[in-house]
Amino acid sequence: MKCPQRMAGDRRTHRKATAKDVAVAAGVSPATVDRVLNGRGGVAPDKARRVLEYARLLRLDRSLDRWPAKTLRIVLLIQSGDNPFHAALRAALNEAEDVRLLFDLQGFVHSVDPNDAKATAHHIRSFGEAYDGLIVVCPDRAEIADAIRSVAARRPVVTLATDLPGSGRQAYVGPDDRRSGRVAGDLMGRFLGPGGGAILVIAGLFSMTGQRERLDGFAEVLTDRYPACRIVDVVESRELAERAGTLAAGALLNTPGIRGLYNASVGSRTVADAIAGAGRTGDVVFITHELTTDRRRLLQEGRIDAVIDQDPVNEMKVALRTMAMLLGRANGEALDVPTGLHIHMRENG
């Protein structure tokens, strides 16, 4: 509904706007305006955003230049700190204190098991009742998507780092993982050179949208540009670091001709150890993602050739700003936000 215009010379030009004027302009009831302006909650995010925008436009109250005093509770659902990237996301939530304070958001973290979709779905439904917004990093499983769909009908849900596109979430913040995979494939092809060779690919979970897209992008580039490079196997670590190392060791033993190894998830230390155990350090090209402290060390030691990083601190700040938009505490439309990527090698790791 369009905001009513004030005509020149109209006696009402200087009349102070009321909550009823805001309700008419925003297309909501006066009771809804009252709930939003007094921070009582219980209002759908899109309605709350419209109320605040029209209240500022009509200059209902100069105090509206400040956000409501009520602190809103946001929960981040991620894997345990045993996963280095998810540990980095936990740290990023603390480092994003400036954004949380700006929009008066309080952040909480809850660990979920990526291999237990039923339990994760239960947590999502439960937290949908207890928190004002959810940021989730979860596999794309039917049970999880259904739970997000039910929560997103009444609470804002933002997917972070890996998307669940059919879940009804309001926004995705994270990298273009197909592009990340293509970068990894291009690096692998260039490292191996015209002779190419056999490549082992290790995924964490095939049900992680981001990892599937990485694998697809990786394979696409090899097929298009480096026909001498061939993927001999794609295996799943189930997000278990030790399993990743075991899979790598077995493949190097049973397929001696492997010249490249692409690990799209956890376990870079155990994979590097497997390569060393096979006496292949410096001979097998090893490419992975996420510049954690341990992977930086492996990179500097020459045990990893390249790391493609997505900057978790920036992702978390963008996710919180997006959540603030969905909650009506920041102006603008909450859209999917593709974040950048950075290539790190031994000289800049």
Side-chain angles (χ1 to χ4, degrees):
M1 183 179 297
K2 292 184 178 180
C3 179
Q5 297 180 347
R6 294 180 179 177
M7 304 300 292
D10 191 325
R11 292 182 179 180
R12 293 173 296 175
T13 299
H14 302 292
R15 180 175 68 84
K16 186 176 181 180
T18 66
K20 185 176 179 180
D21 295 326
V22 174
V24 171
V28 300
S29 69
T32 296
V33 173
D34 180 71
R35 294 189 68 83
V36 172
L37 298 185
N38 289 288
R40 296 195 181 98
V43 178
D46 60 329
K47 289 185 179 180
R49 185 167 57 250
R50 289 206 309 273
V51 167
L52 288 172
E53 287 177 352
Y54 278 109
R56 292 187 183 91
L57 184 63
L58 295 174
R59 299 183 180 180
L60 177 66
D61 187 335
R62 291 185 182 277
S63 68
L64 286 169
D65 289 336
R66 301 187 301 272
W67 302 114
K70 179 184 176 183
T71 299
L72 297 181
R73 291 156 44 91
I74 309 302
V75 64
L76 171 65
L77 277 76
I78 55 175
Q79 295 178 38
S80 73
D82 292 338
N83 181 309
F85 176 65
H86 289 248
L89 286 177
R90 289 169 179 262
L93 184 61
N94 291 328
E95 292 185 48
E97 182 180 15
D98 56 336
V99 179
R100 289 188 287 106
L101 289 175
L102 176 63
F103 300 115
D104 203 2
L105 304 176
Q106 187 174 9
F108 298 84
V109 179
H110 184 83
S111 297
V112 293
D113 182 350
N115 292 295
D116 192 341
K118 183 177 180 180
T120 299
H122 170 75
H123 290 310
I124 289 171
R125 293 180 190 276
S126 175
F127 293 147
E129 299 295 334
Y131 292 87
D132 298 291
L134 284 71
I135 299 175
V136 301
V137 190
C138 294
D140 188 6
R141 297 283 298 277
E143 305 98 310
I144 295 173
D146 287 344
I148 290 177
R149 193 173 297 109
S150 67
V151 171
R154 60 186 186 282
R155 293 281 189 273
V157 179
V158 174
T159 51
L160 177 64
T162 183
D163 198 11
L164 287 86
S167 65
R169 80 334 180 236
Q170 284 88 347
Y172 164 65
V173 174
D176 179 337
D177 281 298
R178 184 177 294 272
R179 182 178 176 219
S180 296
R182 290 182 64 86
V183 169
D186 196 42
L187 288 170
M188 182 65 74
R190 290 175 179 275
F191 277 127
L192 293 182
I199 301 167
L200 173 68
V201 175
I202 303 177
L205 281 174
F206 296 139
S207 59
M208 285 282 193
T209 301
Q211 290 184 34
R212 287 200 310 272
E213 292 181 345
R214 284 178 179 176
L215 302 189
D216 289 345
F218 184 80
E220 286 171 358
V221 167
L222 295 182
T223 299
D224 293 344
R225 299 181 192 163
Y226 306 100
C229 296
R230 64 188 190 281
I231 297 173
V232 293
D233 202 1
V234 180
V235 293
E236 185 181 44
S237 70
R238 298 201 296 269
E239 296 285 83
L240 301 172
E242 290 301 324
R243 178 176 167 81
T246 300
L247 291 169
L252 290 167
L253 176 64
N254 298 318
T255 313
I258 289 177
R259 294 195 60 218
L261 201 153
Y262 173 45
N263 181 25
S265 185
V266 300
S268 288
R269 166 66 63 176
T270 61
V271 170
D273 288 345
I275 294 173
R280 304 287 304 279
T281 299
D283 177 37
V284 173
V285 174
F286 182 19
I287 296 173
T288 189
H289 295 264
E290 326 313 351
L291 190 66
T292 63
T293 300
D294 192 44
R295 292 178 196 188
R296 185 188 297 274
R297 187 177 301 113
L298 291 169
L299 192 65
Q300 293 170 344
E301 292 171 355
R303 300 178 64 189
I304 293 178
D305 293 280
V307 175
I308 302 162
D309 189 51
Q310 58 182 292
D311 192 353
V313 173
N314 176 60
E315 284 183 348
M316 183 60 68
K317 289 188 175 186
V318 173
L320 288 170
R321 287 183 179 275
T322 301
M323 182 61 72
M325 292 179 189
L326 290 167
L327 290 167
R329 295 201 166 184
N331 295 325
E333 185 178 2
L335 302 171
D336 292 356
V337 182
T339 53
L341 59 87
H342 308 278
I343 300 171
H344 297 269
M345 298 172 66
R346 192 169 189 173
E347 294 303 321
N348 70 329

